[in-house]
Amino acid sequence: MPAGRYVEAVTGATFALAPGEALALVGESGCGKSVLASALLGLLPGNAETAGSARLADGLDLLAADERTLARTVRGRRVGLVPQSPAAHLTPVRTIRSQLEETVRELTGTRAPALRAAAEAAAGRAAFPSSHLDRHPHELSGGLAQRAATALALVGDAPLLLADEPTTGLDRDLVLRTADELRAHTRADGRALLLITHDLAAAERIADTVAVMYAGRIVETAPAGAFFAGPGPRHPYARGLLDALPERAFTPVPGVPPELGALPPGCAFAPRCASADPLCRTRRPALTEGVACHHA
C-alpha cells in the first residue's frame, strides 16, 4: 500500500477439503473470501504477497507455482473457477458459443463435428439457454452472464472447483438448480468444492462444512448440519449471520465490519458483540477446536 503500509487481507486461513466434500466460506463483503480464492489461483494483483502453502492432493503447492504452471496445468484442469464478476471474465468480442466451444476443445479434446453439441450440453449443465449462445456478453443479463461463467467452469470437470458467489443475480429457482448442479458436480468422482457465498440458503443446500470468515480470519468451522440446525453456531458473529435471515429472527448484526488496515487490538468482532469484555478487547482469540472466541 502507499507509504509502505501493509494490509493483511487474509490471515491464518487453515482448512482441508476432502474428495467429494463441499466447504462453504461465508461472511460479509470485504472479509477476504474472494481474496483467498484469487490467491489459490494466482490471480491477485501484482502488489500482493502470499505466504504459507496450499497443496493439491498430488503435492503441487498453488502458492509456490509459477504462472506457466498455473496457466497450463492448473486453471480449468485441476482447479476450476466460477468468478464473482462473470462479465469481467467473459471475452466481450466473442459469443458465448465461441467461448464454450474453445473451452470444450481445449479441456476435453472434443473436435468438430461433435464440438457444437458438446458446447450446448455444457451450457445446459448451468441452465444457460441455447437460444442465447450466439449472443455476446454485453447482450446478457447479470444472471445469464453468471450461468455462462458457471458453464465454462464446469467444462473441465476439475477435481477442485472454486465457486465465488455462483448464485449472484439468479432467481430462487435457478439458485436451487445451480446449487444442485454444484452439489452433483462435487459428489461425482470425488471432486471437491469451495463455495464462497453470501447466500446461506445455498450454503445449507450444498455444504458439508461451513467456515465463517470475519475481518480476514476464519472464526468458526463446523459441520453444516450442526451449523444450520442443532446445536447451531458457537461464534457470536456466526449466530448473528443466521439470526439476520428473514426466516429466523430477521435481526441484523449491529455495527459495521472494521477496516482491515485498522483492526482493533483484540477480537475484531468485539466492537459489535454484546458479550465482549476487557479480555476480548485486548487479546485476539486463536482458532481452537473450530472456533475463535474467548467465550464460545
Side-chain angles (χ1 to χ4, degrees):
M1 302 290 286
R5 292 174 57 242
Y6 278 81
V7 171
E8 294 182 346
V10 177
T11 305
T14 301
F15 57 88
L17 259 175
E21 181 183 4
L23 184 148
L25 185 62
V26 303
E28 290 167 296
S29 295
C31 71
K33 304 186 302 297
S34 295
V35 171
L36 188 150
S38 295
L40 294 176
L41 283 173
L43 299 176
L44 290 174
N47 65 330
E49 297 179 3
T50 58
S53 63
R55 298 192 180 277
L56 298 180
D58 59 11
L60 177 68
D61 185 351
L62 295 174
L63 299 187
D66 57 39
E67 174 60 24
R68 181 184 178 89
T69 299
L70 291 171
R72 298 199 173 190
T73 71
V74 174
R75 298 186 192 124
R77 292 173 171 83
R78 293 149 89 179
V79 184
L81 173 67
V82 180
Q84 183 180 30
S85 302
H89 286 73
L90 297 170
T91 304
V93 296
R94 296 176 58 194
T95 66
I96 302 304
R97 182 187 301 277
S98 172
Q99 296 180 60
L100 267 174
E101 287 184 351
E102 177 187 45
T103 303
V104 170
R105 183 176 62 249
E106 293 299 320
L107 297 185
T108 70
T110 304
R111 295 291 186 269
L115 189 58
R116 183 181 181 90
E120 292 178 355
R125 290 181 66 183
F128 186 89
S130 58
S131 58
H132 289 58
L133 280 170
D134 294 310
R135 296 187 180 186
H136 291 81
H138 72 272
E139 299 176 291
L140 304 179
S141 66
L144 282 173
Q146 183 68 63
R147 281 182 269 169
T150 301
L152 288 165
L154 293 176
V155 166
D157 286 328
L160 172 61
L161 181 65
L162 306 183
D164 192 355
E165 301 289 356
T167 59
T168 298
L170 305 183
D171 61 38
R172 184 48 49 179
D173 287 342
L174 283 173
V175 166
L176 299 181
R177 178 167 176 173
T178 299
D180 290 344
E181 179 59 45
L182 291 173
R183 177 74 267 187
H185 175 86
T186 304
R187 293 198 182 280
D189 300 324
R191 302 185 187 105
L193 170 68
L194 175 58
L195 171 70
I196 295 170
T197 186
H198 292 99
D199 190 336
L200 293 178
E204 184 175 11
R205 194 175 183 92
I206 297 173
D208 301 295
T209 306
V210 177
V212 181
M213 182 171 276
Y214 185 79
R217 293 176 178 268
I218 293 177
V219 296
E220 181 168 1
T221 58
F227 186 88
F228 288 108
R234 300 166 62 198
H235 195 282
Y237 172 65
R239 291 198 299 271
L241 288 180
L242 289 187
D243 287 343
L245 294 175
E247 62 269 24
R248 300 208 181 198
F250 206 25
T251 303
V253 181
V256 296
E259 292 290 335
L260 292 178
L263 294 177
C267 174
F269 187 63
R272 306 173 70 185
C273 182
S275 302
D277 61 14
L279 175 63
C280 302
R281 296 185 179 91
T282 56
R283 195 173 80 189
R284 181 174 293 168
L287 185 66
T288 304
E289 296 182 357
V291 65
C293 179
H294 294 304
H295 308 296

